Amino acid sequence: PLRAALRTQHGEVLGSCPAVWPVITIRPLLNQTPGLTSALSPLFSNLTNDLTVAQLLPLYRDRPLDFSPGAKWQYSNLNYWILGKVIETIGREPYADFVTQHVLVRGMANTRYGSHDAIIRGRAAGYEKDEQGRWINARYFSPTLGYSAGGFLSTPADMVIWYAALSHGQIISKRMLSAALTEGRTKDGKPTAYGLGWYLSGSA
């Protein structure tokens, strides 16, 4: 259960889980079926603020579940933010450091955790469409909001290196990879087109 995963010998890392969270387990978070909200509105007043995960998660503490765990599929960044905190708690180091040490592989010279302050060679600028449908420069938002749901920056060449290592069992075992690439199902048996962190056949 999530409450157990978020404990260490030094106590519970969230202070106390919101009342609706303890029924959630790790697998539903990975396959996007725990029922947690997909709303981004709690972030709207913090888009330009650099937030730690300890500041990010409390923005969602009072949100009720959208549905009971396992009832349907719904992508939510919140699921991955919580998993990032689980990684920090169990790994006893910041999420970015854990990924850099244990998930990235040799040769990925242009992959790193995002930062507003650091000079990052080759960083691409973002774009968005205005109300008239014209392309404009994207408005600034803090890279800390990506955290474990998209906080790393990379390149196509680096991702080729990473996927090659993944397919050869250098990051996780082939048995674990097979489990991650197995399509999940809701409690009533409906396929989700999603595994444990991967879209498998279009969008759900």
Side-chain angles (χ1 to χ4, degrees):
L2 184 57
R3 183 184 294 276
L6 291 175
R7 285 182 180 274
T8 70
Q9 61 179 336
H10 303 295
E12 191 170 307
V13 298
L14 292 183
S16 61
C17 281
V20 297
W21 288 14
V23 299
I24 297 170
T25 55
I26 298 300
R27 182 174 286 267
L29 290 169
L30 285 166
N31 65 22
Q32 301 288 326
T33 61
L36 292 171
T37 181
S38 61
L40 295 177
S41 54
L43 299 179
F44 289 168
S45 61
N46 290 281
L47 289 179
T48 60
N49 297 331
D50 292 341
L51 301 179
T52 66
V53 64
Q55 296 168 318
L56 182 62
L57 292 181
L59 299 177
Y60 288 85
R61 290 184 62 87
D62 298 325
R63 287 274 178 161
L65 294 179
D66 285 355
F67 49 86
S68 63
K72 60 183 288 189
W73 184 94
Q74 174 178 273
Y75 180 87
S76 172
N77 283 343
L78 179 56
N79 296 333
Y80 285 130
W81 292 332
I82 293 172
L83 287 166
K85 185 57 180 176
V86 170
I87 289 171
E88 288 195 1
T89 304
I90 295 175
R92 304 285 297 275
E93 61 182 322
Y95 169 78
D97 292 347
F98 183 92
V99 172
T100 300
Q101 294 296 321
H102 304 289
V103 180
L104 304 187
V105 296
R106 186 184 300 275
M108 298 178 70
N110 295 303
T111 300
R112 55 157 297 157
Y113 195 63
S115 167
H116 171 64
D117 298 320
I119 303 299
I120 301 175
R121 184 171 61 88
R123 188 203 302 246
Y127 301 91
E128 62 184 7
K129 288 188 176 181
D130 64 14
E131 294 180 353
Q132 286 73 45
R134 298 171 301 189
W135 286 105
I136 60 174
N137 291 314
R139 289 163 291 182
Y140 171 78
F141 67 91
S142 171
T144 63
L145 302 182
Y147 184 51
S148 50
F152 270 80
L153 308 177
S154 191
T155 64
D158 273 17
M159 293 310 300
V160 168
I161 294 171
W162 190 82
Y163 271 103
L166 180 70
S167 67
H168 287 90
Q170 296 175 23
I171 300 172
I172 59 176
S173 69
K174 292 187 177 182
R175 180 180 63 83
M176 291 182 65
L177 178 59
S178 178
L181 296 178
T182 298
E183 185 175 26
R185 293 183 178 272
T186 58
K187 283 185 175 179
D188 60 1
K190 293 180 181 178
T192 64
Y194 199 83
L196 304 179
W198 272 277
Y199 288 97
L200 300 179
S201 55
S203 60

